[in-house]
Amino acid sequence: MKIITTTNNVQGGVEAFKIFKHEIENGAKVLGLATGSTPVTLYQELAASSLDTSNLISINLDEYVGLTPDNDQSYHYFMQQHLFAKKPFKKTYIPDGIKAINDPEGAAVDYDKIIAENPIDVQLLGIGQNGHIAFNEPGTSFDSTTHEVTLTENTIKANSRFFSNIDDVPKSAICMGIANIMSAKKIVIMAFGANKAKAIKAMISGPVIEDVPASILQKHPDVTVIVDSAAASELNK
Ligand code: GLP
C-alpha cells in the first residue's frame, strides 16, 4: 500500500483529486464513489476543477434501505448535492434502497450486474471506526457481493450525527460486497481524524481478517491510503 500523509482533510482532498485527475486523463471511465464526510473535500476539488466528467460512469458503494432519493439523508441526495449537480456524469449508479425494502436480493443482483458490465477503474473508499468499508461490517465474508446489511449499533451511532434523531437512522443498507470492491483496478482510501487511527493501523499492519473488513486491502495490488496526521498517529507505534 502506498501511504500519503497530509496535514488535514482539505490537503487530503487535493491529493486524492490529483490521483483521480491522473487516472481520468489516462483513460479511467468508471469511478467507484463513496459517501460520508471523508470524501467531501475531494468532491469540492472535483467540482471546482475544469475536469470533464461528462463521459464518466459512477457507481456508488451503498444506500440506506427505505430512503427515497429526495430524502436529504439518502446517499442519492448526498451525491447530488456534493458532486452530480455540479459535475454531470454520463451515468450514475447508486443501489436502489427502495426496491430493497421488499426485494433486497433483486436489488443486489441488479447492482452486481451493473458492476460486472462496468468494471471499476478507480474505487474511492472511506473507513468506519470499526474498520468497515462501505457498510461491510466486521465479520462480512471477503467473498461477498452486493447484499443487504443490518447496521451495527456502532455504525448507527456514528452516522446518527447526520440525522436529527438516532431513531431516524435506517437499520439496514444495501451495499457492494468486499469482492466487488476488490475487483476495482485501483483503490484510493481516505481517512481523517484521530477517531480513525486505530482502524487505519489495523487495516495497514494488522492481520488480514474478516473482523477488520478493510484489512483485505493488503491483498490488493494497487491501493493508495490518504490520511491526515491524526489518522496516521497509530502507525509508528
Ligand atoms: C458510513 C459509510 C461508509 C463511510 C463511513 C465513514 O458507514 N457507509 O462508506 O466510509 O460511514 O464515514 P465518514 O467518512 O463520515 O467518517
Side-chain angles (χ1 to χ4, degrees):
M1 291 186 186
K2 182 178 172 197
I3 303 169
I4 299 175
T5 307
T6 65
T7 42
N8 55 36
N9 63 336
V10 175
Q11 218 39 51
V14 171
E15 291 300 325
F17 174 69
K18 280 188 210 160
I19 297 172
F20 275 84
K21 181 169 184 282
H22 179 263
E23 293 300 316
I24 292 164
E25 288 174 349
N26 286 281
K29 287 274 174 264
V30 183
L31 306 186
L33 297 181
T35 51
S37 54
T38 305
V40 168
T41 52
L42 165 62
Y43 295 154
Q44 284 166 348
E45 291 295 320
L46 261 169
S49 76
S50 58
L51 203 64
D52 181 13
T53 55
S54 63
N55 282 319
L56 300 177
I57 293 171
S58 70
I59 305 186
N60 261 79
L61 289 169
D62 45 15
E63 178 58 287
Y64 289 114
V65 172
L67 299 191
T68 54
D70 62 350
N71 183 310
D72 62 8
Q73 299 301 342
S74 73
Y75 287 167
H76 278 78
Y77 191 93
F78 176 99
M79 291 308 299
Q80 199 56 35
Q81 290 291 105
H82 288 278
L83 190 61
F84 301 149
K86 299 166 186 163
K87 279 279 176 191
F89 278 52
K90 182 165 98 184
K91 181 81 190 148
T92 62
Y93 294 104
I94 301 178
D96 188 341
I98 297 303
K99 178 167 177 167
I101 299 173
N102 295 317
D103 184 12
E105 281 177 20
V109 168
D110 292 351
Y111 214 60
D112 281 338
K113 190 159 172 274
I114 288 166
I115 299 164
E117 286 167 356
N118 300 279
I120 296 170
D121 292 304
V122 194
Q123 176 67 57
L124 175 65
L125 295 175
I127 186 169
Q129 292 172 34
N130 60 3
H132 74 241
I133 44 178
F135 273 126
N136 293 295
E137 300 281 11
T140 305
S141 165
F142 285 153
D143 295 327
S144 54
T145 52
T146 307
H147 59 294
E148 187 184 21
V149 175
T150 302
L151 303 183
T152 62
E153 283 305 314
N154 179 321
T155 298
I156 290 176
K157 205 168 148 215
N159 288 5
S160 67
R161 69 190 192 278
F162 299 114
F163 292 78
S164 43
N165 188 317
I166 192 164
D167 296 332
D168 294 340
V169 184
K171 303 289 176 283
S172 68
I174 177 144
C175 94
M176 267 189 210
I178 308 266
N180 301 116
I181 292 169
M182 289 294 281
S183 73
K185 286 189 205 121
K186 182 178 185 71
I187 295 178
V188 177
I189 181 161
M190 303 166 78
F192 305 120
N195 61 346
K196 300 290 174 71
K198 284 206 168 67
I200 287 296
K201 166 95 169 167
M203 172 182 90
I204 293 175
S205 55
V208 177
I209 44 170
E210 289 178 346
D211 266 350
V212 183
S215 65
I216 190 66
L217 299 179
Q218 293 176 31
K219 303 275 185 206
H220 191 282
D222 187 353
V223 176
T224 302
V225 184
I226 300 177
V227 278
D228 65 1
S229 38
S233 59
E234 292 279 328
L235 287 179
N236 293 325
K237 287 183 190 164

